[in-house]
Amino acid sequence: MRFIKFNDQQVDSFLFMELSDLAKALTKQKDIEVDYSVQSYLDPTSGKIYVSHFWDHREKNETVLALKSDIYLRSIGNFYYTNFQEVGVFIAKARNLKLQSFAKQLFMLLEDLRLEEICKKERSGTKKAFEMRRILYRKHFQSQLIIHQERSIFTDAFFNSLYLKLTAQNPLEEYPVISESLERAYPFIESKIFQVYEVHTTKEVIQIVLDIIDVLEEMLDKDMLNTYFFLADLPYETIQHHSLFDELKRKSKLKNKDALEDAKKGDEDVHENKLPTWHSETSKPTKSFLQFELEQGTNTTINGDGIVREGDDTDQALGMIQGTSRKTKKNDYSKLEALENKSEDRAMMGDLAYGRENKFAVPVFVTAKQPMVNEVEQYFKNRNDILLFQKKLRLMIQKTLEHKKTLPRADLHIGRLNKKLLRLLTDDNPKLFYKKQEKSPQIDAVFTLLVDCSASMFDKMDQTKLGITLFHETLKSVRVPHQIVGFWEDTNEASKTRQPNHFHTVISFEESLKHPSGPEIMQLSPEEDNRDGYAIRHMTKQLTIRNEKQKFLLVFSDGEPAAMGYERNGIIDTYEAVLEARKLGIDVLNVFLSNGAIEESTKKTIQNIYGKYSIFVDKIEELPEQLFPLLKRLLLKTI
């Protein structure tokens, strides 16, 4: 296990999940992603919002509000109100400018200020975050202005002064003169930059920037050294204006743009078996009025959507007929190539059924081997160690079941009507009903014990097996089906497009109630990495097909998930997997194992994933004692 790190610092997983949920809610796009970067910006081509780590190392309240202001600007502002085609044109022009970096950063500054006003107008609750954003930025730019003036870095100093001018509370606030040549252009530049509070489009912001740059290129010799606002150089020209929703939905584009020639040569006749559509692969055009949505094809001159053809009496009517079908005597290989292409695409894209972060994860199911002599001996030793706990739990369950069986079944307020009705007249509160004697209630429940077999479990695995033995023997004694599965990811065989995840089932549902079962638990051993969200989803799938009324999934682990490409988003993926399981009626609990004091940050992260259903064991040797009340509570819940 290892913590999520970014630039050698730990990421607040709960805050990261909160930012992700906020972005999805504001954009109304469930596939939008949030990530950390040096600067904040929206990547519309991949559907990703980057928040800046510039806000780190501050007071907690300041960091949270500043990061939320990044989300507001990108999710409300850029997502809905930025014309990315105009941005693409601007970037192309900026490449030929001497002050290229200054132009890009000035555009991002002015566009952010324009969008900030829109955000505050549409959602007044964002004002607090933007106020904190300005306070922090103003402190930073004031210090930077002094430094750049002392070092004669005039371009950066001038940019700092522009921000301070634009965000000043007092319009009469004065700032030091950067250079004599710039002082003469101040009136013109100020009149231009303050227009940002009056413009309504990205194009107007770009024009302000270009007008200012025309003047500054004659006065400033060097471009900016520092980057305060980042404009990503992306293929914006591929994004249609006002259609960012469609772009994120990844609508397929036509393969060709050629026009259909000699369309009049086609005959609009009746086709008995085939209904042709024209594209590059066909040889003969027709004027068929029926239309189809093609994944690949050609843009044609045939009337399409929005143009209605007047019907006539020669049009065919739609007929519903019944018939019979039978297996053909010939082999049909027409779909073979399509199936091959489909499987290739699936291999490239990965499987998203178990979460976006696990699209390249591959399950490897391993069954238990025949226990060796030393494993059997060790298991019997473990069983003797937990025998006292196991007997206490069994007796408690048996007494509870017997008590329910012998509860009074007569003199009830509901049930079958008793023949003795005299009490209706003699008693103030007559109990005239009874119920038939029922059989002793059974425990209608099923358990899955999911055991983290990552390398960090090497010093906890023996005690973990002892605790699992307690579960197994107790559940077996009260006839509750269960399975015990160890999971890990094979680091040596993992690649960017294939990550094998092993599921070692030492006790299966079918074998769990058999008397000899148990020594197979000793085959659990520490292996490599762990992809918790993926494992939880697999166990959830297995539990959902069970018929028992109550289903429990217990995850034994010693830290946060860690696997290839899983470090940062692993916590969110695991949280989502737990949430999905609980929505399906499965109780998910975590048993956190440690050999010493548990750090508060680690405890908070685990609680962020599993909520209040977490048990922290800081002394691994006391695991059976701490599992006893947990198992007792769960079993009583099932009766």
Side-chain angles (χ1 to χ4, degrees), residues 457-514:
M457 287 284 288
F458 76 96
D459 59 341
K460 311 176 190 76
M461 188 57 78
D462 290 339
Q463 289 296 322
T464 302
K465 292 177 187 176
L466 189 62
I468 292 171
T469 302
L470 171 62
F471 262 87
H472 173 63
E473 288 296 326
T474 303
L475 294 174
K476 184 168 64 171
S477 66
V478 294
R479 310 302 294 170
V480 175
H482 56 280
Q483 70 170 351
I484 301 170
V485 182
F487 72 98
W488 72 91
E489 180 171 292
D490 193 332
T491 308
N492 295 326
E493 295 184 11
S495 65
K496 290 184 178 180
T497 56
R498 188 177 186 276
Q499 292 125 23
N501 277 256
H502 294 256
F503 295 96
H504 187 188
T505 306
V506 292
I507 301 291
S508 65
F509 289 120
E510 295 76 16
E511 300 292 327
S512 61
L513 302 183
K514 294 182 180 179

Side-chain angles (χ1 to χ4, degrees), residues 380-484:
F380 285 142
K381 182 180 180 302
N382 284 359
R383 192 175 67 176
N384 290 333
D385 291 341
I386 56 90
L387 191 59
L388 180 62
F389 295 112
Q390 185 255 323
K391 284 184 176 180
K392 281 183 180 180
L393 285 170
R394 186 182 63 187
L395 289 172
M396 177 200 67
I397 297 300
Q398 288 175 347
K399 287 181 179 179
T400 305
L401 292 174
E402 188 62 28
H403 175 68
K404 287 205 168 192
K405 179 181 178 181
T406 57
L407 279 175
R409 311 297 293 172
D411 298 333
L412 305 174
H413 286 293
I414 57 173
R416 294 168 178 260
L417 185 62
N418 201 313
K419 293 180 180 180
K420 300 175 181 180
L421 302 178
L422 185 60
R423 284 175 292 177
L424 185 62
L425 302 173
T426 58
D427 294 352
D428 294 332
N429 187 20
K431 299 178 181 179
L432 305 175
F433 299 91
Y434 72 98
K435 289 184 179 180
K436 282 189 174 182
Q437 192 72 12
E438 296 180 355
K439 294 181 180 179
S440 177
Q442 299 296 316
I443 300 178
D444 190 13
V446 63
F447 284 75
T448 289
L449 274 63
L450 189 59
V451 186
D452 172 15
C453 289
S454 60
S456 60
M457 287 284 288
F458 76 96
D459 59 341
K460 311 176 190 76
M461 188 57 78
D462 290 339
Q463 289 296 322
T464 302
K465 292 177 187 176
L466 189 62
I468 292 171
T469 302
L470 171 62
F471 262 87
H472 173 63
E473 288 296 326
T474 303
L475 294 174
K476 184 168 64 171
S477 66
V478 294
R479 310 302 294 170
V480 175
H482 56 280
Q483 70 170 351
I484 301 170

Side-chain angles (χ1 to χ4, degrees), residues 289-306:
F289 63 88
L290 295 177
Q291 300 176 46
F292 291 87
E293 292 183 2
L294 299 177
E295 287 299 321
Q296 294 186 17
T298 298
N299 191 15
T300 75
T301 56
I302 294 178
N303 290 343
D305 294 340

